[in-house]
Amino acid sequence: MAENVGVGLIGLGTVGSVVAARLIGSWELLTTRAGATPVLRRVAVRDPGKPRDVDLRSVPLCDDPFAVVDDPSVSIVVEVMGGMDAAAAAVERALQAGKTVVTANKALIARAGPRLWTLAESRGAGLWFEAAAGAGLPIVAVLRDSLRADSVNSLDAVINTTTNVVLTRMRNTGERLDEALLDAQRRGFAETDPSSDLDGWDASYKLVILAWLATGAPVSVDSVDRRGVRDIDRIDMAYTGQLGYSVKLLAHAEIRQQPGGVHLRVRPTAVPEGHPCFDADDSDNAVIITSDLAGTVVLRGVGGGGASTASAVLSDIVAAVRARARQPGPPHTQPRQLLSDEEVEVAGYLRLIVDDSADARALVLQALEDRGVPVIEAVDKPPLDGPFPQLIVLTGAAPRAVHDRALETLDTLSSVRQIAVSLDRVEPR
Amino acid sequence: MAENVGVGLIGLGTVGSVVAARLIGSWELLTTRAGATPVLRRVAVRDPGKPRDVDLRSVPLCDDPFAVVDDPSVSIVVEVMGGMDAAAAAVERALQAGKTVVTANKALIARAGPRLWTLAESRGAGLWFEAAAGAGLPIVAVLRDSLRADSVNSLDAVINTTTNVVLTRMRNTGERLDEALLDAQRRGFAETDPSSDLDGWDASYKLVILAWLATGAPVSVDSVDRRGVRDIDRIDMAYTGQLGYSVKLLAHAEIRQQPGGVHLRVRPTAVPEGHPCFDADDSDNAVIITSDLAGTVVLRGVGGGGASTASAVLSDIVAAVRARARQPGPPHTQPRQLLSDEEVEVAGYLRLIVDDSADARALVLQALEDRGVPVIEAVDKPPLDGPFPQLIVLTGAAPRAVHDRALETLDTLSSVRQIAVSLDRVEPR
């Protein structure tokens, strides 16, 4: 029987709802991963009377964050309410009481992370904030758990989804910023008051957290060389495009080792084709880390959004449960069935040497279709080594066994001299 | 005073040498990160008499791995000798004795990982193997520490550097496989006997480890649907290229949740343009993880190589030291100097509205050069809103303060009507 660990949730918005639903619905998976069962005990929201999509079963709702923090059955406090003062008060109170805190609050960690960390250490509490830095990108784990012996020299990142959605739309449609912003608001990628995003605050919070993790340097948010995107003109989207660039709100940290120094900036930046941030469009986020041993590491993935942020929060909850139990995080071994060749689908690239007859091509394509292998494209090529022409066929997704049987059939066709090559192929999206 | 933790090293090749040099030369950084000082106590090599590049100071060399394991001053055993039987014996003996093991041995973890893990757990020992799965890519940390609450649905990876170097060269030069292989051997990217790489074993080991971490499924290496690259013909590199594909030795894992099933394959695969593996060329490695909450996460970085593998080994040593002391891994807070505007270099994109005079362009470019700002490219553009033409200037790297002063100068030029836009720019490599 796995032990239970009580979880309290402050905030039940987009992220909080997914977290609550997983804690209630996926407790078996979480127990396997965590070694104990995280159980949702109490939830605080602004308006407990409001109808909710998520079914909380019998978990009590209240409107007081402190009631969650002070609940003796709660040992892990998950703060996903956002904002500054009320969130800071709840988190501090929890850490003071020696409870573990998991938070997605960028502004809070950027402004008070080092102080809260010291508080947590002095109280034997835990402070987890993967979701505060990169949302769905596992950037905190990489910086903290993976480059532990490296000296990080620079960070470059596209980490604000709102501005990235707006800039991408400006580039693709030629719209003005205000037009692209309206579209982003309609699609749920920008808030009614988008100042924190457009003025570069959100990206600055994240950059400050990343730089702290990478270097230990507690840089003040106000010392970030920060410039927003409000002035970006659509004509410059066009001109930079013609020159092979894409304009991004780029967050950049530069770390000098000897003598030590650090520079953080968030600025609209023309990024050249081939750069990993160049085509990180829309809600795609990207972080590039250069360090002395690992070299350059690039992380890309979906930035904001309820599910990816919830993924980071839940991952921290699992880690926090493990850490409370003082267990190392093992890869839990669990046998799985191997899929058969009838179950695994592949697409293919075939190169055939075919007869010099008018109907060779048609016979091949017909045979493939008859055997259940879709033909996506067929290209005739001149003879290579011998007298016979070649035929390239891109086949569509079909089970491996179906592909294999179709190849056997092709092998028996008199119009097919040789199956020169058969490769797997990934289909373009 | 930080406590000391004894480290024993088995193997002093490319990776082992970097690890030893760091343990000896960078002990202060490692102590800061680890909370205790990892001290190199003993090293085992095949031939202790051979001259070495690395200065081991007074650390004793021997030729017996067991002597390292049994040394009572050693509590962390680092195995970077490679191979199967001798390495397995040393690792097992260390775990039996309750010592912590850090290993970069792919074959060992792929074939015996779950068994060694169980042994480690039963003895209260630690087993760390970040370097075994992705070398420099922090893939183990991401799968184990960051997607803790996600269900992983698939993995796609270019994780064998030798074949990737060979295939990249075949595509770029039109050479045959044997020619490209010779070149890779000359450049140190392929061993004298490249069978393990060319036949897909190395990629299969890594894939099995990744799938184990992602799903808990202990898949046998022999059940990987494995096909090497020996048959790849240069003509297919050309034809796939014409169709918009790049041939990669792609490692793929497919995980079905309901009913549970898993499929692992390593096969030469035509990958389309736009796919994150398409341009992961030469020693670039890439891993794409799709999971239910985080969505798609892409990791890219340098695969093999002594430094990046050593980065992973050292990171594990730091983690192991931390775990022995039962400390959580905090971001160590340490103030850093902020760099000034005279120290931070930037390149730029300028859009100017200029006079309709013949020498306006020359005056602008001269003013920039006079103020120390290099001009990379200048493009004339027709008037936009008013009567005056525009001038686009790409400026080269110069300190921010130099750029700012040059802009002030431009502002005073009578031939410059307006500085319409000034953006930062990343220079193409």
Side-chain angles (χ1 to χ4, degrees):
Chain A
M1 254 310 276
E3 177 207 359
N4 288 343
V5 178
V7 176
L9 186 62
I10 304 177
L12 199 61
T14 324
V15 175
S17 298
V18 178
V19 170
R22 276 273 158 142
L23 285 173
I24 292 168
S26 302
W27 66 271
E28 283 178 303
L29 173 76
L30 297 175
T31 302
T32 303
R33 304 274 176 91
T37 309
V39 179
L40 188 59
R41 296 291 190 194
R42 190 180 285 268
V43 179
V45 294
R46 205 156 304 162
D47 176 9
K50 193 173 135 186
R52 311 264 164 193
D53 284 342
V54 58
D55 176 10
L56 288 178
R57 308 285 165 84
S58 55
V59 178
L61 266 182
C62 62
D63 65 358
D64 178 13
F66 283 4
V68 170
V69 171
D70 296 342
D71 186 328
S73 77
V74 167
S75 47
I76 297 178
V77 174
V78 178
E79 186 272 302
V80 287
M81 70 187 290
M84 201 55 204
D85 294 347
V91 166
E92 271 200 64
R93 189 177 175 106
L95 295 176
Q96 285 282 6
K99 299 197 174 189
T100 290
V101 170
V102 174
T103 177
N105 195 320
K106 297 169 276 246
L108 177 64
I109 297 299
R111 295 207 177 273
R115 185 172 58 78
L116 293 173
W117 187 268
T118 305
L119 172 61
E121 279 204 313
S122 73
R123 299 288 166 161
L127 178 62
W128 302 80
F129 50 87
E130 171 82 69
L137 284 189
I139 182 69
V140 174
V142 169
L143 286 173
R144 196 183 50 194
D145 304 335
S146 194
L147 299 174
R148 275 173 285 229
D150 273 62
S151 291
V152 173
N153 297 319
S154 70
L155 299 167
D156 284 279
V158 171
I159 39 177
N160 177 265
T161 297
T162 302
T163 51
N164 207 38
V165 165
V166 168
L167 293 173
T168 302
R169 174 136 185 132
M170 287 177 71
R171 192 194 60 208
N172 292 346
T173 66
E175 286 179 359
R176 288 195 314 270
L177 185 110
D178 56 338
E179 297 166 328
L181 178 62
L182 263 179
D183 175 75
Q185 284 169 327
R186 268 195 300 267
R187 288 161 62 210
F189 284 115
E191 298 182 48
T192 317
D193 174 7
S195 305
S196 169
D197 296 307
L198 296 192
D199 294 334
W201 286 110
D202 179 83
S204 296
Y205 294 146
K206 292 169 180 166
L207 182 63
V208 162
I209 298 172
L210 296 185
W212 177 42
L213 287 166
T215 69
V219 178
S220 151
V221 175
D222 303 301
S223 68
V224 175
D225 175 7
R226 179 181 52 78
R227 188 173 144 193
V229 300
R230 291 193 197 263
D231 297 338
I232 298 293
D233 194 309
R234 56 184 171 170
I235 192 71
D236 294 302
M237 303 303 290
Y239 289 167
T240 50
Q242 289 162 16
L243 291 162
Y245 291 82
S246 171
V247 175
K248 298 288 176 191
L249 183 63
L250 195 71
H252 173 78
E254 212 169 305
I255 298 114
R256 303 259 170 89
Q257 310 296 347
Q258 289 299 342
V262 62
H263 167 70
L264 270 54
R265 67 170 175 263
V266 169
R267 287 195 170 225
T269 301
V271 174
E273 205 170 338
H275 188 284
C277 291
F278 174 81
D279 59 354
D281 286 341
D282 269 319
S283 59
D284 235 24
N285 281 202
V287 180
I288 306 157
I289 308 161
T290 63
S291 63
D292 58 346
L293 288 175
T296 300
V297 172
V298 179
L299 263 164
R300 278 184 61 165
V302 177
S308 58
T309 307
S311 163
V313 169
L314 286 158
S315 186
D316 275 353
I317 292 173
V318 170
V321 170
R322 279 215 166 276
R324 288 187 64 82
R326 293 214 175 288
Q327 292 157 307
H332 172 81
T333 299
Q334 192 178 30
R336 293 246 193 179
Q337 196 70 41
L338 284 172
L339 298 176
S340 79
D341 278 359
E342 305 283 352
E343 295 172 285
V344 176
E345 297 222 320
V346 293
Y349 161 95
L350 298 179
R351 179 159 60 89
L352 311 173
I353 314 294
V354 293
D355 246 2
D356 206 357
S357 64
D359 56 354
R361 175 187 170 116
L363 285 170
V364 164
L365 302 190
Q366 191 58 50
L368 285 169
E369 298 279 4
D370 286 349
R371 294 309 238 149
V373 175
V375 172
I376 306 296
E377 196 174 341
V379 184
D380 295 304
K381 293 278 178 188
L384 191 64
D385 302 319
F388 297 105
Q390 306 177 93
L391 176 62
I392 309 290
V393 185
L394 301 189
T395 62
R400 169 82 65 199
V402 170
H403 258 101
D404 288 349
R405 286 193 293 266
L407 285 183
E408 284 168 25
T409 302
L410 291 187
D411 222 13
T412 66
L413 292 185
S414 62
S415 54
V416 173
R417 294 263 149 186
Q418 192 200 339
I419 300 173
V421 164
S422 154
L423 292 179
D424 282 3
R425 184 177 64 88
V426 176
E427 294 187 277
R429 271 181 299 184
Chain B
M1 254 310 278
E3 178 205 359
N4 288 343
V5 178
V7 176
L9 187 62
I10 305 176
L12 198 61
T14 323
V15 174
S17 299
V18 178
V19 170
R22 276 272 158 144
L23 285 173
I24 292 167
S26 302
W27 65 271
E28 283 179 302
L29 174 76
L30 297 175
T31 302
T32 303
R33 304 274 176 92
T37 309
V39 179
L40 189 59
R41 296 291 192 195
R42 190 179 286 267
V43 179
V45 294
R46 205 156 303 163
D47 176 8
K50 194 175 134 184
R52 310 266 164 193
D53 284 341
V54 57
D55 175 10
L56 289 178
R57 308 284 166 87
S58 54
V59 178
L61 266 181
C62 63
D63 65 357
D64 179 12
F66 283 4
V68 169
V69 171
D70 296 341
D71 185 328
S73 77
V74 166
S75 48
I76 297 178
V77 174
V78 179
E79 186 272 303
V80 287
M81 70 188 289
M84 201 55 203
D85 294 345
V91 165
E92 271 199 65
R93 190 176 174 105
L95 294 175
Q96 285 282 5
K99 300 197 174 187
T100 290
V101 170
V102 174
T103 176
N105 195 320
K106 296 169 275 245
L108 177 64
I109 297 299
R111 294 206 178 274
R115 185 173 57 77
L116 293 173
W117 187 268
T118 305
L119 172 60
E121 278 203 313
S122 73
R123 298 290 166 160
L127 179 61
W128 302 81
F129 50 86
E130 171 82 69
L137 283 189
I139 182 68
V140 174
V142 169
L143 287 173
R144 197 184 48 195
D145 304 334
S146 194
L147 299 174
R148 277 173 285 230
D150 273 62
S151 290
V152 172
N153 297 319
S154 70
L155 299 167
D156 283 280
V158 171
I159 38 177
N160 178 265
T161 298
T162 301
T163 52
N164 207 38
V165 166
V166 168
L167 293 173
T168 301
R169 174 138 184 128
M170 287 178 71
R171 193 193 59 209
N172 293 346
T173 66
E175 285 180 1
R176 287 195 316 270
L177 185 110
D178 56 338
E179 297 165 328
L181 178 61
L182 263 179
D183 175 75
Q185 284 169 327
R186 267 196 301 266
R187 289 161 60 209
F189 284 116
E191 299 183 47
T192 317
D193 175 6
S195 305
S196 170
D197 296 306
L198 295 191
D199 294 334
W201 285 110
D202 178 83
S204 296
Y205 295 146
K206 293 170 179 166
L207 182 63
V208 162
I209 298 173
L210 296 185
W212 177 42
L213 287 166
T215 68
V219 178
S220 150
V221 175
D222 304 301
S223 69
V224 175
D225 176 6
R226 180 182 49 79
R227 189 174 143 192
V229 300
R230 290 191 197 264
D231 297 338
I232 298 293
D233 194 311
R234 56 183 171 171
I235 193 70
D236 294 303
M237 302 302 291
Y239 289 168
T240 51
Q242 290 161 18
L243 291 162
Y245 291 83
S246 172
V247 175
K248 298 287 175 190
L249 183 63
L250 195 71
H252 173 79
E254 212 168 304
I255 299 116
R256 303 260 171 90
Q257 310 296 348
Q258 289 299 343
V262 62
H263 167 68
L264 269 54
R265 68 170 175 263
V266 169
R267 286 194 170 227
T269 301
V271 174
E273 206 170 339
H275 188 284
C277 291
F278 175 81
D279 59 354
D281 286 341
D282 270 319
S283 59
D284 235 24
N285 282 203
V287 180
I288 305 159
I289 309 162
T290 63
S291 64
D292 57 347
L293 287 176
T296 300
V297 171
V298 180
L299 262 164
R300 279 186 60 169
V302 177
S308 58
T309 307
S311 163
V313 170
L314 285 158
S315 186
D316 275 353
I317 293 173
V318 169
V321 170
R322 278 216 165 277
R324 287 187 64 82
R326 294 215 175 288
Q327 293 158 305
H332 173 79
T333 299
Q334 192 177 29
R336 292 245 194 182
Q337 196 71 41
L338 284 173
L339 298 177
S340 78
D341 278 359
E342 304 284 350
E343 294 173 287
V344 176
E345 296 221 322
V346 293
Y349 161 94
L350 298 180
R351 179 160 59 88
L352 310 174
I353 314 294
V354 293
D355 246 2
D356 205 357
S357 65
D359 56 353
R361 177 189 170 114
L363 286 171
V364 164
L365 302 189
Q366 191 57 50
L368 286 168
E369 298 279 5
D370 286 349
R371 295 308 240 150
V373 174
V375 172
I376 305 296
E377 197 174 341
V379 185
D380 295 304
K381 292 279 179 188
L384 192 65
D385 301 318
F388 297 104
Q390 305 177 93
L391 177 63
I392 309 290
V393 184
L394 301 189
T395 62
R400 168 82 65 200
V402 170
H403 258 101
D404 288 348
R405 287 194 293 265
L407 285 182
E408 284 168 26
T409 303
L410 290 187
D411 223 12
T412 66
L413 292 184
S414 61
S415 55
V416 174
R417 295 262 149 186
Q418 191 200 338
I419 299 173
V421 163
S422 154
L423 292 179
D424 282 4
R425 184 177 65 88
V426 175
E427 294 188 278
R429 272 181 300 184

